[in-house]
Amino acid sequence: MLKEPRTPETADAPEASADAPAGPAPARGAWSALRPLVLRLHFYAGLLIAPLLLVAAVSGLLYALSFQAEKIVYRQELEVPVGDSVLPLDRQVEAARSAHPDGTVTAVWPAPQEGATTRVLMKSPQVEEGTSLAVFVDPYTAQVRGALPSYGSSGALPLRTWLSELHRDLHLGEPGRVYSELAASWMWVVALGGLALWLGRRRTSKRALFLPEGGPRSRRRTLSWHGSVGLWAVTGLLALSVTGLTWSTYAGENIGALKDRLGGTTPTVSATLGGAPAAADGHEGHGTEHHPTAPSGGPDIGVDKALEAARAVGVEGRVAVTLPTEGKGYVVKETDTEYPVHLDSVAIDPATGEVLDVLRFADYPLLAKLTRFGIDAHMGVLLGLPNQLALAALGLALVLLVVWGYRLWWLRRPGRPVPPGAWRKVPVTMLLPLLAVTALVGWFVPLLGLSLLAFLVIDAGRSLLARRGA
């Protein structure tokens, strides 16, 4: 019996490969019309965006491991022998001031557990603008153990900060953020397209959907690993893509505006001594940290009594104490992001110790809570070590998916998955809504829209040249 000749379309499609299991031909319908378009988009988008995804995956993997690496690299500053009793915080702050008289104390992070140091954060000429100088003080002896630059409300030290900036902008500043936004903008598109192709593939058993199969070094085996690992990782990749876009340059602005319109603005405790409302805060843990100026003088109850007043209203555990500034009081915030989260905050009058305002995390708008959970999970601080291990596993999975994707492309050469013009096979009743949704998403996620438009122009040009050559 003669075999049908293998055209570029049938030779390169996964379902039509020679080693694919036999099965009944699928009925033509919506998916059969859309599949060539999805396959072409997934193939070319993955091929072109994969280098950006690979950089993001490797840098993200290193960042996820940096939490535990910090404990080893900065052991001298972070750990001390457990003593008999903890000294007052005011005395620990004075020790930090004496060691760094040119700095202005802005906040104090009491030792979160036994054997840990207290962090006294300073605005200092020793560090660049937007960065605090963290002075590490032994809470049992008031001995200064060292000082390091500290970034953001998460208190990232130099190692984690360097890896975070590598992941965010490749140390290129604002121009470098285009890379990470492009990667985040396309990752969910490539992931969902791959999921649709994998679920729509013919197979003889359900086991092949979740577990890899195929002979050694065969294209079918590579495709099986690519599809099954992608299936397991797709939920996490979608979450990373969405949360990564929330603080991107262009899409992040649209997301922030939408969140504000939906009433999801993150509230802040009011520390104004005159009772004026506080301004809404942005994404906590990202961007430039605010450094208060030195108090103007007058009565001050001190850090210890401010902490006592906070504990009296239930703000306790792992906390950060922001010192008063001109017209502002003490602010004591819980910083325990592990589940269950403890993120209540309270403002204290520095003259009397009176509670000015209390903000409970339970009172946050639902959208603000979800935003906080998503960002903390992306940063690896929501659940501590399990969160960091999950991020590392996702980073490794993405690296493997990119490598397998390129291998599939190499094994497929010189063919192509679907010839140009796949969109013309989509019925108008499906094509018009699809175009409308694509235009809306492209406007909301600008780098995705612009790069997709460039891809379509290039693809249309190649198709035109091919037809003229024929």
Side-chain angles (χ1 to χ4, degrees):
M1 181 175 181
L2 296 178
K3 294 184 178 180
E4 182 182 356
R6 289 166 59 83
T7 64
E9 179 174 356
T10 58
D12 301 312
E15 286 82 353
S17 58
D19 49 8
R28 290 195 57 84
W31 174 240
S32 62
L34 280 176
R35 183 190 173 281
L37 183 62
V38 174
L39 177 60
R40 186 167 180 81
L41 179 64
H42 179 75
F43 174 75
Y44 282 110
L47 189 67
L48 298 175
I49 301 298
L52 303 182
L53 294 177
L54 186 61
V55 172
V58 172
S59 58
L61 172 61
L62 294 175
Y63 174 80
L65 301 177
S66 67
F67 289 87
Q68 303 305 316
E70 273 189 344
K71 298 178 181 180
I72 300 174
V73 175
Y74 304 117
R75 182 180 301 172
Q76 165 68 22
E77 290 82 5
L78 297 174
E79 298 179 4
V80 294
V82 179
D84 295 331
S85 60
V86 175
L87 297 175
L89 285 173
D90 289 318
R91 183 172 170 183
Q92 299 178 49
V93 171
E94 286 304 318
R97 283 197 179 108
S98 299
H100 298 272
D102 57 343
T104 301
V105 178
T106 59
V108 181
W109 294 9
Q113 58 195 18
E114 291 186 349
T117 53
T118 295
R119 293 194 197 189
V120 179
L121 301 182
M122 291 183 168
K123 181 180 180 181
S124 171
Q126 299 180 36
V127 294
E128 62 184 12
E129 188 67 25
T131 304
S132 296
L133 179 68
V135 182
F136 298 86
V137 182
D138 188 329
Y140 306 104
T141 64
Q143 176 189 2
V144 175
R145 303 276 295 184
L148 294 167
S150 175
Y151 172 83
S153 61
S154 64
L157 298 178
L159 174 62
R160 180 151 56 101
T161 300
W162 191 90
L163 292 174
S164 174
E165 292 177 354
L166 176 67
H167 179 67
R168 183 180 59 180
D169 58 20
L170 301 177
H171 294 280
L172 298 176
E174 286 299 319
R177 296 186 68 179
V178 174
Y179 121 81
S180 59
E181 184 166 352
L182 266 175
S185 299
W186 275 99
M187 184 159 63
W188 67 273
V189 178
V190 176
L192 288 179
L195 177 65
L197 291 170
W198 185 244
L199 294 178
R201 179 177 168 80
R202 290 181 298 173
R203 51 182 54 85
T204 56
S205 65
K206 291 184 178 180
R207 179 184 181 279
L209 178 66
F210 301 98
L211 298 176
E213 60 178 2
R217 297 188 178 181
S218 67
R219 183 178 180 277
R220 180 187 173 195
R221 181 177 179 83
T222 303
L223 179 62
S224 181
W225 277 97
H226 184 79
S228 57
V229 171
L231 179 67
W232 287 105
V234 65
T235 303
L237 295 178
L238 292 176
L240 289 179
S241 177
V242 172
T243 54
L245 287 174
T246 57
W247 66 82
S248 61
T249 302
Y250 303 105
E253 184 177 346
N254 292 335
I255 293 174
L258 178 62
K259 190 182 74 168
D260 293 343
R261 290 183 181 180
L262 295 177
T265 303
T266 301
T268 56
V269 66
S270 175
T272 305
L273 296 179
D281 197 3
H283 294 320
E284 298 183 33
H286 299 275
T288 303
E289 185 176 0
H290 171 68
H291 293 289
T293 57
S296 59
D300 189 344
I301 60 174
V303 179
D304 290 285
K305 290 190 176 180
L307 196 55
E308 289 180 8
R311 288 170 176 164
V313 293
V315 179
E316 53 190 354
R318 181 176 300 210
V319 298
V321 183
T322 302
L323 271 61
T325 62
E326 185 68 34
K328 302 282 186 178
Y330 283 97
V331 174
V332 183
K333 291 184 177 182
E334 294 178 340
T335 60
D336 186 5
T337 57
E338 297 186 14
Y339 186 83
V341 294
H342 298 283
L343 299 173
D344 297 346
S345 56
V346 60
I348 308 294
D349 190 320
T352 64
E354 177 187 357
V355 173
L356 300 174
D357 188 25
V358 179
L359 176 63
R360 305 293 182 186
F361 183 69
D363 297 329
Y364 277 34
L366 176 61
L367 190 55
K369 289 181 182 178
L370 295 177
T371 301
R372 179 63 193 250
F373 291 150
I375 290 177
D376 285 351
H378 191 112
M379 295 178 63
V381 298
L382 179 60
L383 300 174
L385 182 59
N387 192 172
Q388 296 150 25
L389 293 177
L391 287 178
L394 279 175
L396 180 59
L398 185 54
V399 169
L400 294 174
L401 290 172
V402 170
V403 172
W404 288 325
Y406 273 116
R407 176 169 170 77
L408 287 171
W409 167 63
W410 182 258
L411 294 174
R412 176 184 288 126
R413 72 189 197 288
R416 54 191 178 188
V418 176
W423 61 272
R424 290 194 295 268
K425 299 180 180 180
V426 181
V428 176
T429 54
M430 297 176 57
L431 184 60
L432 292 180
L434 183 62
L435 290 176
V437 172
T438 302
L440 179 62
V441 174
W443 169 81
F444 194 75
V445 187
L447 290 188
L448 173 64
L450 292 174
S451 55
L452 178 59
L453 182 61
F455 165 74
L456 293 176
V457 170
I458 295 173
D459 193 56
R462 291 185 60 194
S463 177
L464 180 61
L465 291 176
R467 286 201 302 270
R468 286 185 176 181

